[in-house]
């Protein structure tokens, strides 16, 4: 019998809020291990490129906005990453853009779009090596969660398509089935990921010392440090150095001397792209009404 879909929002004593959603899956056939799990970052860890970028590409193909708009914001992503400008002002800008991203849209409509766009653009860009690592955990009876700054509903679609347990992601407020344009808590990024994993472990009865985490980015060092086994996947330079210093396992599934990372967002840059998406959605809504 398949599991019913569950969305959980939890707030810790410090006021940090996390959300996680079960994927729509049959139960795992393996003997379950209730205290062990694996946590996988999405962008450039599970998937080549950024999920929000491919989602935007899919929206552009559906005439929500132009490919020129997409190119300009993809360039801004690269600029933010190269200049490493993730300071407080950028984070504020990112959050404001993320708020506008889905305002007024119905949850079921966004999930339907995410399903279509995953099949068209994201599925071919899943790293086969990372997918195999996730499957090993499932085969061992362990749960596997994606951890992403993307809205938790998009994360859930990706997890369902990959046969994983569920997703941890940014939580947007929903009223009567539609997004209000307000976030519940903060963007799921950096220390917020570690806090969310810790909260989920408390709710689900996980022993973090028996859990594993996988990421490509030094931004996820808090999450990687929170578990008993950390693995650097396609690591950036800073994470590679830290992994070597700490004796963490390193896996690189990229081809070539240094594979180009496609639209890898810093949190601020992802917010900028969300702004482009929101502008496109607003334009599309006006066209539908007129």
């Amino acid at each position: 019998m398949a599991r019913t879909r569950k969305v959980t929002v939890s707030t810790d004593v410090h006021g940090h809020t996390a959300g996680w959603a079960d994927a729509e899956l049959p139960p795992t056939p393996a003997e379950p291990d209730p205290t062990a799990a694996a946590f996988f970052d999405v962008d450039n860890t599970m998937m080549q490129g950024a999920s929000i970028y491919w989602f935007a590409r899919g929206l552009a193909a559906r005439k929500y906005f132009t490919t020129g708009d997409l190119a300009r914001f993809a360039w801004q992503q690269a600029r933010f990453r190269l200049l490493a400008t993730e300071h407080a002002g950028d984070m504020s800008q990112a959050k404001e853009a993320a708020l506008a991203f889905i305002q007024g849209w119905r949850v079921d409509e966004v999930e339907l779009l995410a399903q279509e766009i995953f099949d068209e653009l994201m599925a071919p860009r899943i790293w086969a090596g990372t997918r195999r690592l996730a499957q090993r955990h499932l085969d061992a009876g362990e749960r596997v969660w994606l951890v992403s700054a993307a809205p938790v509903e998009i994360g859930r679609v990706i997890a369902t398509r990959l046969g994983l347990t569920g997703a941890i992601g940014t939580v947007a407020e929903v009223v009567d089935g539609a997004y209000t344009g307000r976030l519940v808590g903060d963007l799921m990024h950096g220390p917020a990921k570690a806090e969310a994993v810790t909260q989920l472990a408390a709710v689900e009865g996980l022993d973090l010392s028996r859990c594993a985490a996988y990421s490509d980015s030094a931004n996820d060092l808090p999450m990687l440090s929170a578990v008993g086994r950390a693995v650097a996947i396609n690591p950036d330079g800073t994470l590679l150095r830290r992994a070597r210093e700490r004796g963490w396992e390193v896996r690189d599934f990229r081809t070539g001397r240094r594979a180009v990372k496609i639209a890898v967002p810093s949190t601020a840059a992802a917010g900028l792209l969300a702004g482009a998406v929101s502008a496109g959605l607003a334009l599309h809504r006006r066209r539908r009404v007129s």
Side-chain angles (χ1 to χ4, degrees):
M1 182 176 179
R3 289 195 303 270
T4 56
R5 189 167 70 183
K6 178 181 68 176
V7 177
T8 302
V9 176
S10 176
T11 303
D12 66 14
V13 295
H14 303 292
H16 301 128
T17 302
W20 49 91
D22 287 349
E24 297 175 341
L25 298 170
T28 175
E31 186 68 25
D33 185 342
T35 63
F39 302 95
F40 285 80
D41 171 54
V42 175
D43 298 344
N44 284 298
T45 302
M46 182 61 73
M47 174 190 304
Q48 182 182 15
S51 57
I52 189 66
Y53 173 79
W54 296 118
F55 187 62
R57 279 279 298 269
L59 293 178
R62 289 161 174 77
K63 309 302 182 184
Y64 284 81
F65 54 91
T66 69
T67 53
D69 294 331
L70 182 66
R72 283 193 297 275
F73 280 87
W75 177 85
Q76 287 179 298
Q77 285 194 60
R79 175 180 175 274
F80 268 86
R81 186 171 181 88
L82 289 172
L83 297 179
T85 56
E86 287 188 21
H87 52 67
D90 296 326
M91 292 297 288
S92 175
Q93 184 181 28
K95 186 171 182 177
E96 289 176 4
L99 291 173
F101 170 32
I102 49 180
Q103 182 177 5
W105 272 67
R106 297 196 59 79
V107 175
D108 53 3
E109 186 172 4
V110 170
E111 289 192 336
L112 180 60
L113 282 166
Q115 291 169 11
E116 295 176 356
I117 293 168
F118 176 87
D119 294 339
E120 293 170 8
L121 298 176
M122 299 182 193
R125 293 170 173 88
I126 297 297
W127 295 108
T130 308
R131 182 66 188 85
R132 285 193 296 270
L133 292 174
Q135 188 61 47
R136 289 180 188 176
H137 287 281
L138 294 173
D139 292 343
E142 300 173 5
R143 286 168 283 180
V144 177
W145 299 83
L146 298 178
V147 187
S148 174
V152 67
E153 292 82 8
I154 293 177
R156 176 171 57 210
V157 167
I158 299 172
T160 297
R161 285 296 201 259
L162 295 180
L164 307 180
T165 306
I168 299 173
T170 298
V171 180
E173 184 181 65
V174 176
V175 174
D176 296 330
Y179 296 106
T180 66
R182 293 184 292 271
L183 292 184
V184 180
D186 291 318
L187 294 170
M188 189 57 59
H189 172 76
K193 287 188 177 182
E195 293 162 2
V197 165
T198 300
Q199 290 179 42
L200 186 146
V203 171
E204 299 289 334
L206 300 173
D207 179 353
L208 286 178
S209 69
R210 300 192 66 244
C211 294
Y214 300 77
S215 178
D216 74 300
S217 173
N219 290 326
D220 289 338
L221 280 168
M223 180 179 73
L224 294 168
S225 301
V227 298
R229 177 171 172 251
V231 182
I233 302 288
N234 308 325
D236 61 29
T238 300
L239 179 57
L240 180 59
R241 289 192 298 272
R242 294 292 184 89
R244 287 171 174 169
E245 291 169 0
R246 301 183 185 189
W248 291 346
E249 183 179 354
V250 176
R251 298 288 189 100
D252 200 325
F253 302 119
R254 297 167 293 190
T255 58
R257 190 175 66 85
R258 288 297 294 175
V260 175
K261 290 188 174 184
I262 300 176
V264 186
S266 63
T267 299
L272 285 174
L273 181 56
V277 175
S278 67
L281 297 182
L283 176 61
H284 183 73
R285 286 197 294 272
R286 288 198 297 270
R287 287 174 177 170
R288 288 194 303 181
V289 171
S290 61

